[in-house]
Amino acid sequence: MSKALTGIRILDLTHMLSGPYGAMILADMGAETIKVEPLQGEGTRKLMKKDPDYSLDGMGAYYITLNRNKKSVAIDLKSEQGLAIFYDLVRKSDVVISNFGAGVPERLKIDYESLAEVNPAIITCTVTGYGSDGPSPYRPAFDQVAQATGGGMSITGTDVDHPMRAGIPIGDLGGGMFAVMGVQSALLERYRSGKGQHVDISMLDCQISMLNYMATMYFLSGKDPVPIGNSHFHHVPYNTYKTNSGYIVIAVITDNFWHNLQQLVQIKEFDNPKYDTQPGRWEDRDMIDAKLNEVLGTQDSDYWLKKLQAEKIPCAPVNRFSEALRDEQVRHRNMVIELKHPGGKSTHGPGNPVKLSRSNEETFTAAPGLGQDTDTVLGQLLDYDAGQISELKQLGVIV
């Protein structure tokens, strides 16, 4: 069985999180992904590499996760010879993905216009904070900057005085996910036109896109939404509730769910026709939440989850990582996989969420050592002989 993107070759110039995450997904889907690193290695190689809790044999959690299924070639792109090697790779590749700051690809002569002269069918993708054009594309941006600029932080948290970023880095991860969509769209279009093009991904654009219907609500009302914790701006009860063993969520989004919950918890204050529809429940939402917390606190989470599920009321435990990562559904879906180290040891990490019915081979090779594949890629793919490779190493062009 082959993977869906088998036959596609990607040159991965990314670093940190947003770009490497997108390239990782493409690699998981079968694209031959050659990580082109500077001679000192991509920056995340150093992150947590010596942390006793978050590293494995000198490789930190970032690098070992984000660079599975990739090869490593170390080239000095700032040298004339190194750039020539990169252009040779571009001639035999389909996609070049990077997340340098705006303007850097042009300075390095690895932007779309430069690479299209080398290979007219090449697709380039950049993931930047603000995109490649407009009045202010050159501002530096990282995950929290994107979350703040995009508006999402203003509605996250419990009140307007304490804006909070999302617990997972959705600014970075959103950029990586949209990069995958853009690259795959460009590949499909190329089958029709035979031409490459540039995919311009802005982390800010991605955050604005994910505001979705809430942005439309703002334009309709003219009102800025505010943080409401884990509750909902329309549905009641819809919140996090404390049991005597932890927290669960209940999401009553229809009146039928409310009636089922009413029968289950047997709270006398709920026996009011006013609450049969949403407007009445919304009016007294604080009381409803308070009474639910009183009753739910009398039993543990498992007790209530079984009762709620039996009544088909949407609910879930608020899992810690240790609980989420051993969930039987998560394990069944192969969403916890073995992450190998090139030295032979291994740990575990998240799997690939894209499941295909026919080409769903799920294999994961170890994140590579620096320049681990330089000789093989230059020799087998570019037909460089051993003497050329040795000379390039002596000149400090490759590792």
Side-chain angles (χ1 to χ4, degrees), residues 16-30:
M16 298 305 291
L17 180 54
S18 61
Y21 181 66
M24 180 202 79
I25 295 173
L26 294 167
D28 286 352
M29 299 300 293

Side-chain angles (χ1 to χ4, degrees), residues 93-384:
S93 298
D94 299 285
V95 180
V96 176
I97 180 170
S98 68
N99 62 327
F100 297 117
V104 174
E106 288 78 8
R107 290 200 300 273
L108 292 174
K109 299 180 182 178
I110 57 171
D111 57 301
Y112 173 70
E113 285 72 21
S114 298
L115 299 186
E117 292 181 8
V118 175
N119 177 359
I122 198 69
I123 292 165
T124 61
C125 175
T126 55
V127 183
T128 60
Y130 301 97
S132 62
D133 56 8
S136 55
Y138 297 105
R139 290 174 290 167
F142 293 93
D143 173 75
Q144 188 159 321
V145 174
Q147 289 195 41
T149 312
M153 275 185 67
S154 74
I155 58 169
T156 305
T158 56
D159 59 71
V160 294
D161 295 321
H162 299 89
M164 188 174 294
R165 68 171 176 84
I168 58 174
I170 60 170
D172 278 330
L173 298 178
M177 288 187 285
F178 279 94
V180 172
M181 298 178 214
V183 165
Q184 291 180 327
S185 297
L187 285 167
L188 283 171
E189 193 281 336
R190 193 180 67 177
Y191 286 124
R192 295 196 302 271
S193 69
K195 299 176 182 179
Q197 61 180 305
H198 179 58
V199 179
D200 178 9
I201 301 295
S202 154
M203 290 164 61
L204 176 58
D205 290 355
C206 298
Q207 294 301 294
I208 295 296
S209 174
M210 289 190 284
L211 295 180
N212 203 262
Y213 66 87
M214 297 192 75
T216 308
M217 289 168 57
Y218 161 75
F219 284 117
L220 288 170
S221 68
K223 299 176 182 177
D224 278 313
V226 297
I228 54 175
N230 294 323
S231 64
H232 198 275
F233 58 85
H234 181 79
H235 302 302
V236 178
Y238 188 115
N239 215 326
T240 306
Y241 301 95
K242 193 174 190 320
T243 71
N244 68 14
S245 65
Y247 291 89
I248 63 173
V249 295
I250 297 175
V252 170
I253 59 174
T254 70
D255 293 335
N256 285 338
F257 290 149
W258 166 255
H259 295 311
N260 292 348
L261 180 65
Q262 185 184 24
Q263 292 298 314
L264 174 61
V265 295
Q266 292 293 306
I267 296 173
K268 61 182 179 63
E269 286 86 355
F270 290 0
D271 296 331
N272 185 336
K274 172 183 179 180
Y275 303 141
D276 287 348
T277 56
Q278 181 273 344
R281 297 197 297 275
W282 176 256
E283 184 179 339
D284 292 344
R285 59 192 180 277
D286 290 339
M287 182 276 290
I288 290 173
D289 277 346
K291 290 295 180 182
L292 271 176
N293 268 318
E294 286 180 16
V295 171
L296 295 174
T298 63
Q299 300 286 346
D300 64 23
S301 296
D302 285 344
Y303 173 88
W304 287 117
L305 290 170
K306 288 175 183 176
K307 294 282 188 182
L308 291 161
Q309 289 164 1
E311 296 297 329
K312 295 182 169 48
I313 299 166
C315 62
V318 178
N319 281 334
R320 294 168 293 182
F321 277 36
S322 57
E323 294 159 331
L325 294 172
R326 68 169 182 258
D327 181 277
E328 61 181 8
Q329 182 69 11
V330 170
R331 293 290 180 138
H332 172 78
R333 299 278 294 176
N334 201 32
M335 284 308 300
V336 173
I337 62 162
E338 183 181 20
L339 290 177
K340 299 173 184 176
H341 186 283
K345 292 184 180 179
S346 67
T347 182
H348 291 87
N352 178 13
V354 181
K355 310 296 184 184
L356 302 178
S357 65
R358 184 169 49 80
S359 50
N360 195 49
E361 178 190 337
E362 294 193 315
T363 52
F364 303 91
T365 60
L370 177 61
Q372 174 180 302
D373 304 287
T374 301
D375 288 15
T376 301
V377 170
L378 269 57
Q380 295 183 3
L381 181 61
L382 302 184
D383 295 323
Y384 286 19

Side-chain angles (χ1 to χ4, degrees), residues 24-98:
M24 180 202 79
I25 295 173
L26 294 167
D28 286 352
M29 299 300 293
E32 179 188 1
T33 304
I34 301 171
K35 188 172 184 67
V36 180
E37 302 188 65
L39 301 187
Q40 70 273 22
E42 186 252 296
T44 52
R45 280 191 179 276
K46 299 176 182 177
L47 284 179
M48 300 185 288
K49 64 178 291 185
K50 296 182 179 179
D51 190 299
D53 291 326
Y54 304 125
S55 66
L56 180 66
D57 274 3
M59 189 174 281
Y62 270 77
Y63 196 85
I64 200 170
T65 305
L66 293 163
N67 294 289
R68 66 197 193 200
N69 285 331
K70 300 180 184 180
K71 301 174 181 178
S72 172
V73 171
I75 306 174
D76 178 11
L77 293 181
K78 295 179 180 178
S79 71
E80 184 176 336
Q81 289 169 303
L83 188 60
I85 295 170
F86 184 72
Y87 285 171
D88 283 345
L89 289 170
V90 169
R91 291 184 181 93
K92 298 201 172 187
S93 298
D94 299 285
V95 180
V96 176
I97 180 170
S98 68

